[in-house]
């Protein structure tokens, strides 16, 4: 049974921790030290996610035996390292992206490590995927993550972090609910700290001027991607729903369309938010209806 | 002459080895005539029963030196069956068995002691990627039956209780019981 109080607490804690770390790094707020501000985003998101996981009782184990452990012990620290390097090495511009692309290529294999998909756990040649299938699926996932990561970063650079952050928050919240309803409660929970940390850092960033031309949300994009991958491969998340949830934040790009770009900032932000929110609400509603129908099919026989 | 003595010695050694081997009989678990079932407390008012449909195992019974006997069992957790497909799907997911990560639950004995009517068995149970020692008394094994013709068959029953939290299976610990009684009845044949 979901513990809504605990979930709300985890959201609040991850938001507060992320916001406080960002504000601490951005001091003095009127004229923040730029590399430190970027690092504040990276470590704010990281600290917020870990704090939220601690509240939820999702602290990782070592050696990381399961997908959630590998996310928190290997993938997230690797992302923090890559984004920290990107924060410190703003030039040449392609260098951080080499690291990010490398991470995009290894994210899914890390999450699926030593699972029946990739490993012969039940005897020789028992892996569910042939080497060709594995290469195709992992390659596809890497391209998806890299594409979403790059497009969200480009949106931040072109518009602002305040344009991109709400889309990631909404998608992470929706992923939480849908993965939980897809039969992986603890996997879905991992989306809450991601949403909370991004929301907290984004709100806190109003106090300190965000740097234009930089991207801050890489950690959150990897977090969202991870929740959906574990929901798909260790739960029963439908691949089409997972794909929609991953791609939905990209609808915030509509705010950059010529007609919409002329709007005042607030209506433009509302359009952007609505365009992201509508498909997410539909997906969540569909997942809830399906879950209720499955439950009702059992109880109507009583 | 020396060669003949050596050959004789070899023959004696081989004969002794084969006699020793004959003392230990190896049986393969017959899943058609075996069952592994469990029950779990639901919201503290009753129990839900389930079983595993796909398992295999091997018993080595040494009548002369029972401490050399061994018992091994491997259960495919994908085969969990609680008479509700949606619930079974959830049980296979990472909230519970995580069958994609840990497809098998295994038991391998580490110590076997004969007791009246059976054996006291201690061994390593690996479930959900965690290995813990467990002990139980196997009842049976005192007789073999020929069924079908030409096949010798031995049978055991036992029950044990494990705590799922010991194996890092902690989802819904409030609503669903922590202690899981398990009933095993197995026939093995050679």
């Amino acid at each position: 049974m979901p513990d809504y109080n605990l979930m709300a607490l985890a959201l609040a804690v991850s938001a507060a921790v992320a916001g406080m770390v960002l504000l601490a790094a951005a001091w003095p707020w009127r004229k923040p030290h730029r590399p430190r501000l970027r690092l504040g985003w990276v470590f704010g998101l990281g600290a917020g996610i870990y704090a939220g996981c601690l509240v939820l009782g999702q602290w990782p184990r070592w050696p990381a035996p399961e997908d959630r452990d590998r996310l928190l012990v290997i993938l997230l620290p690797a992302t923090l390292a890559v984004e920290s390097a990107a924060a410190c090495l703003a030039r040449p511009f392609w260098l951080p992206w080499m690291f990010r692309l490398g991470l995009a290529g290894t994210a899914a294999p890390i999450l699926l490590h030593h699972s029946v998909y990739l490993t012969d756990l039940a005897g020789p040649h028992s892996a569910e995927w042939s080497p060709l299938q594995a290469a195709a699926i992992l390659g596809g996932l890497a391209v998806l993550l890299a594409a979403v990561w790059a497009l969200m970063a480009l949106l931040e650079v072109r518009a602002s972090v305040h344009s991109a952050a709400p889309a990631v928050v909404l998608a992470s919240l929706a992923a939480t609910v849908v993965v939980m309803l897809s039969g992986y409660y603890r996997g879905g929970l991992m989306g809450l700290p991601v949403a909370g940390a991004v929301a907290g850092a984004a709100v806190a960033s109003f106090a300190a001027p965000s740097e234009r031309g930089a991207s801050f949300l890489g950690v959150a994009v990897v977090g969202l991607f991870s929740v959906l991958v574990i929901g798909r491969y260790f739960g029963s998340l439908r691949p089409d729903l997972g794909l929609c949830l991953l791609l939905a934040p990209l609808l915030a790009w509509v705010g950059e369309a010529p007609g919409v770009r002329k709007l005042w900032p607030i209506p433009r932000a509302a359009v952007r938010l609505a365009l992201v929110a509508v498909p997410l609400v539909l997906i969540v509603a569909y997942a809830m209806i399906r879950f209720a129908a499955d439950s009702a099919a059992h109880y109507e026989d009583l | 002459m020396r060669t003949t003595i050596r050959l004789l010695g070899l023959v004696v050694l081989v004969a002794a080895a084969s006699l020793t081997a004959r003392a230990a009989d190896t049986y393969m678990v017959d899943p058609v005539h075996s069952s592994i079932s469990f029950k779990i407390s639901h919201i503290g008012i009753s129990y839900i029963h389930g079983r595993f449909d796909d398992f295999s195992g091997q018993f080595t019974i040494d009548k002369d030196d029972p401490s050399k006997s061994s018992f091994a069992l491997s259960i495919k957790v994908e085969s969990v069956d609680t008479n509700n497909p949606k619930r079974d799907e959830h049980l296979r997911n990472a909230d519970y068995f995580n069958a994609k990560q840990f497809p098998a639950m295994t038991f391998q004995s580490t110590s076997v002691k004969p007791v009246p009517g059976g054996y006291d068995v201690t061994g390593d149970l690996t479930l959900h990627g965690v290995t813990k020692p467990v002990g139980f008394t196997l009842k049976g094994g005192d007789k073999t039956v020929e069924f079908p013709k030409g096949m010798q068959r031995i049978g055991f029953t036992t029950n044990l209780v494990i705590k799922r939290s010991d194996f890092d299976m902690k989802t819904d610990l409030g609503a669903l019981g922590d202690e899981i009684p398990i009933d095993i009845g197995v026939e093995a044949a050679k």
Side-chain angles (χ1 to χ4, degrees):
Chain A
M1 297 285 280
D3 186 340
Y4 297 112
N5 291 334
L6 189 68
M7 289 158 72
L9 181 66
L11 257 181
V13 167
S14 54
V17 169
M20 283 192 293
V21 171
L22 178 61
L23 288 177
W27 185 262
W29 299 340
R30 285 190 181 176
K31 197 178 178 186
H33 183 249
R34 287 184 168 190
R36 209 173 61 215
L37 174 66
R38 291 195 213 118
L39 284 174
W41 267 96
V42 175
F43 288 107
L45 292 182
I49 291 171
Y50 282 109
C53 288
L54 187 62
V55 171
L56 291 167
Q58 298 267 333
W59 202 242
R61 296 163 293 164
W62 182 262
E66 290 188 85
D67 47 302
R68 300 184 311 277
D69 303 308
R70 288 191 293 275
L71 168 58
L72 293 178
V73 173
I74 302 170
L75 186 53
L76 200 55
T79 312
L80 292 173
V82 163
E83 288 296 282
S84 301
C88 300
L89 304 167
R91 288 172 205 276
F93 124 93
W94 52 264
L95 188 59
W97 278 103
M98 290 295 106
F99 293 134
R100 286 169 176 150
L101 290 176
L103 190 68
T106 53
I110 288 171
L111 295 171
L112 299 176
H113 173 71
H114 209 259
S115 67
V116 294
Y117 300 109
L118 303 176
T119 311
D120 296 331
L121 294 178
H125 310 296
S126 64
E128 285 191 12
W129 295 344
S130 69
L132 199 64
Q133 274 179 307
I137 293 169
L138 297 177
L141 288 170
V143 168
L144 261 177
L145 173 57
V148 173
W149 197 343
L151 286 168
M152 289 309 290
L154 196 60
L155 179 65
E156 283 183 74
V157 169
R158 191 180 155 94
S160 72
V161 70
H162 299 121
S163 308
V168 177
V169 172
L170 289 179
S172 300
L173 287 174
T176 298
V177 178
V178 175
V179 170
M180 285 165 77
L181 292 175
S182 303
Y184 190 4
Y185 174 75
R186 295 169 83 188
L189 279 181
M190 303 296 284
L192 279 180
V194 175
V198 176
V203 170
S205 70
F206 280 107
S210 287
E211 190 186 350
R212 277 294 181 101
S215 61
F216 302 103
L217 295 178
V219 175
V221 172
V222 172
L224 171 64
F225 171 83
S226 302
V227 171
L228 296 171
V229 167
I230 65 177
R232 167 71 190 115
Y233 293 108
F234 296 100
S236 306
L237 176 65
R238 272 177 40 177
D240 52 349
L241 295 186
L243 189 64
C244 291
L245 287 164
L246 182 64
L247 298 180
L250 298 180
L251 287 169
W253 264 98
V254 175
E256 300 306 301
V260 186
R261 207 171 156 76
K262 289 178 189 162
L263 293 173
W264 286 84
I266 290 177
R268 196 169 146 210
V271 168
R272 194 181 274 133
L273 205 60
L275 280 166
V276 175
V278 167
L280 291 174
V281 168
L282 289 175
I283 293 167
V284 170
Y286 173 75
M288 292 175 90
I289 290 167
R290 231 180 113 219
F291 183 80
D294 286 341
S295 302
H298 164 64
Y299 289 110
E300 72 188 9
D301 294 337
L302 301 177
Chain B
M1 185 65 185
R2 189 179 280 177
T3 310
T4 312
I5 290 170
R6 276 183 184 165
L7 272 173
L8 272 172
L10 190 65
V11 168
V12 168
L13 272 174
V14 168
S18 65
L19 280 173
T20 311
R22 207 174 293 156
D25 295 314
T26 299
Y27 297 85
M28 304 306 289
V29 168
D30 170 11
V32 174
H33 296 97
S34 303
S35 68
I36 299 172
S37 60
F38 61 90
K39 62 180 181 178
I40 183 166
S41 165
H42 181 236
I43 56 174
I45 56 173
S46 185
Y47 282 92
I48 296 166
H49 291 249
R51 68 182 194 206
F52 294 98
D53 294 332
D54 192 348
F55 50 86
S56 59
Q58 183 175 308
F59 303 159
T60 301
I61 308 294
D62 191 328
K63 294 280 188 193
D64 296 339
D65 185 357
S67 65
K68 288 184 180 164
S69 299
S70 68
F71 298 88
L73 200 59
S74 178
I75 301 165
K76 286 189 180 171
V77 296
E78 279 272 345
S79 70
V80 66
D81 181 354
T82 63
N83 196 31
N84 182 294
K86 290 303 289 184
R87 180 167 59 210
D88 296 342
E89 184 183 306
H90 193 192
L91 287 173
R92 290 180 196 115
N93 286 346
D95 276 335
Y96 295 97
F97 287 109
N98 200 353
K100 297 294 183 190
Q101 192 81 61
F102 312 115
M105 181 193 323
T106 60
F107 174 80
Q108 176 63 59
S109 65
T110 53
S111 158
V112 177
K113 288 178 191 160
V115 293
Y119 300 93
D120 268 349
V121 179
T122 307
D124 292 328
L125 177 66
T126 302
L127 166 60
H128 197 243
V130 179
T131 301
K132 296 270 180 189
V134 296
F136 49 85
T137 300
L138 270 182
K139 294 172 195 156
D142 50 342
K143 62 177 179 182
T144 56
V145 174
E146 187 178 10
F147 177 82
K149 194 168 173 57
M151 185 175 276
Q152 291 299 316
R153 186 171 285 270
I154 195 166
F156 294 98
T157 60
T158 191
N159 43 62
L160 67 154
V161 178
I162 61 168
K163 286 177 82 170
R164 66 185 176 108
S165 59
D166 287 345
F167 296 89
D168 271 329
M169 294 176 74
K170 296 177 181 170
T171 303
D172 277 338
L173 266 179
L176 301 175
D178 189 12
E179 294 194 335
I180 315 287
I182 300 172
D183 283 312
I184 300 175
V186 282
E187 288 186 16
K190 65 164 185 162

